[in-house]
Amino acid sequence: MTSTTSRRARHTVAPARAGSRTRSRWDRFGLPSLLLAPLLAVILGVVGYPIVRTVWLSFHEGEYLMTGAFNGVDNYTEIFGDPYFLAALLRTTIFAVVCVVTTLLISLAIALVLDAGSWAARIVTVVVLLPWAMPRVASGIIWKWMFNDQYGIANWLLVSLGFDSFKGYAWFNDGFASLVAITIAVVWHSVPFIAISMLAGLRATRGEVLEAARVDGAGFYQQLVRVRLPMMKPLLTILGVMSTIFAYQSFDHFLVMTTPPGGPSHSTEVLSLLTWLQAFTVLDQGVAAAMAVVTFLLLAGITAVYVKLSKEGT
């Protein structure tokens, strides 16, 4: 009698456990997926459709806002045989590297000043946030005025410091000088977000590990290089990826600060600007779509390299 009762109890408990496991799977996977489904649908519609449409258009003729017949890889063959595109690709890569390195270094210096918590940090915080609040087109116009050869403050400041060769210097008549001016404007506009993000990362590293490093006699440099920056590596990876994407997508400053756009003599054409010119000036959307796809694949590859390096270091 007792053994029969125990077997019934075991059979009763088993279905209950199976039901709890089913509910646990539903709570962990099913319900979150159901709740996220509307958001995922919106993301796929907003992000996925334009990407698919651009890839599809890159394999078709597209002129004067009309989609033509399928032409295979002719658009890609055309752009990789175009010296202006190859020059823009190289120019964009060099521009991105300079912008990313400069932005990260300046942002780290500003974040360290803000992390000190002195009275000057409050003033720096307000000053740092000002460029972030300014639209990029407006900042481009202001920087173009500052680098004007007749009444720009940049030439006046350089002459005041003893560089007399910059008196009346026309920055935007030379391709290299134009890129220098645009790089300064882009870095100035990018630093606030990166600096505030780094400040949050630095403050997150405060704790027992940093205190132990101080007890062991580590100075400011050792604490920063051997303790704080390694702890911030995931954040630095994300900021590096975002800075690279921002640099490759720089468009407003190039459009506003150069006359004609990409001038002089195509010396400031970058991928984003060249794609825009191809789509809305030459009116060849098929070739422009191919340029956009190449840019997308390039950024995806750079992001993958960043992520791999981050994982190898952890």
Side-chain angles (χ1 to χ4, degrees):
M1 183 69 178
T2 304
S3 60
T4 303
T5 304
S6 63
R7 283 197 299 270
R8 290 177 179 175
R10 284 197 299 270
H11 287 301
T12 304
V13 171
R17 291 179 178 175
S20 64
R21 285 197 297 268
T22 302
R23 287 193 298 271
S24 177
R25 293 194 191 98
W26 168 255
D27 293 338
R28 292 176 57 188
F29 303 106
L31 183 58
S33 300
L34 181 63
L35 295 176
L36 291 174
L39 178 61
L40 292 175
V42 172
I43 293 176
L44 288 176
V46 173
V47 178
Y49 174 75
I51 293 176
V52 173
R53 175 67 179 176
T54 302
V55 173
W56 180 86
L57 182 59
S58 68
F59 292 103
H60 290 75
E61 297 177 355
E63 296 182 354
Y64 305 104
L65 303 178
M66 300 291 291
T67 303
F70 177 80
N71 62 356
V73 296
D74 288 352
N75 292 331
Y76 293 93
T77 304
E78 180 177 345
I79 64 173
F80 282 107
D82 183 3
Y84 291 112
F85 173 79
L86 297 178
L89 178 60
L90 177 61
R91 188 178 299 114
T92 306
T93 302
I94 297 174
F95 170 79
V97 171
V98 173
C99 282
V100 171
V101 173
T102 307
T103 299
L104 292 179
L105 291 177
I106 295 177
S107 299
L108 179 60
I110 294 175
L112 290 172
V113 173
L114 298 179
D115 186 56
S118 62
W119 62 269
R122 301 185 183 92
I123 300 176
V124 175
T125 302
V126 176
V127 174
V128 165
L129 290 176
L130 290 178
W132 198 10
M134 184 176 296
R136 284 176 292 185
V137 173
S139 69
I141 295 173
I142 292 174
W143 279 100
K144 185 176 182 179
W145 172 81
M146 293 176 65
F147 281 100
N148 185 274
D149 56 339
Q150 299 299 322
Y151 49 81
I153 192 175
N155 287 348
W156 172 82
L157 181 61
L158 289 171
V159 171
S160 301
L161 295 175
F163 299 97
D164 295 332
S165 59
F166 283 95
K167 185 175 182 180
Y169 182 74
W171 287 82
F172 298 104
N173 287 347
D174 178 73
F176 179 77
S178 299
L179 288 173
V180 171
I182 295 171
T183 300
I184 294 173
V186 171
V187 170
W188 178 82
H189 197 273
S190 304
V191 159
F193 174 79
I194 305 298
I196 296 300
S197 300
M198 282 190 177
L199 175 62
L202 286 173
R203 290 182 174 174
T205 60
R206 295 177 179 177
E208 297 179 356
V209 177
L210 191 60
E211 187 63 30
R214 290 173 182 166
V215 172
D216 291 339
F220 173 80
Y221 177 79
Q222 288 80 9
Q223 293 176 28
L224 178 63
V225 175
R226 298 185 178 182
V227 179
R228 307 188 82 176
L229 290 182
M231 293 176 66
M232 292 171 57
K233 190 170 184 178
L235 174 63
L236 294 176
T237 301
I238 295 174
L239 294 179
V241 171
M242 295 180 66
S243 297
T244 303
I245 293 175
F246 290 159
Y248 267 89
Q249 292 181 339
S250 295
F251 170 76
D252 307 78
H253 291 91
F254 284 92
L255 180 66
V256 172
M257 296 179 69
T258 58
T259 305
S265 301
H266 306 277
S267 59
T268 58
E269 283 182 350
V270 289
L271 288 178
S272 58
L273 182 62
L274 185 60
T275 302
W276 179 82
L277 291 172
Q278 192 70 34
F280 299 105
T281 302
V282 183
L283 296 178
D284 192 340
Q285 282 74 37
V287 173
M291 292 180 179
V293 171
V294 171
T295 305
F296 172 78
L297 294 176
L298 183 61
L299 289 176
I302 293 173
T303 303
V305 171
Y306 270 113
V307 173
K308 184 179 180 180
L309 293 176
S310 177
K311 289 183 178 180
E312 289 179 354
T314 55

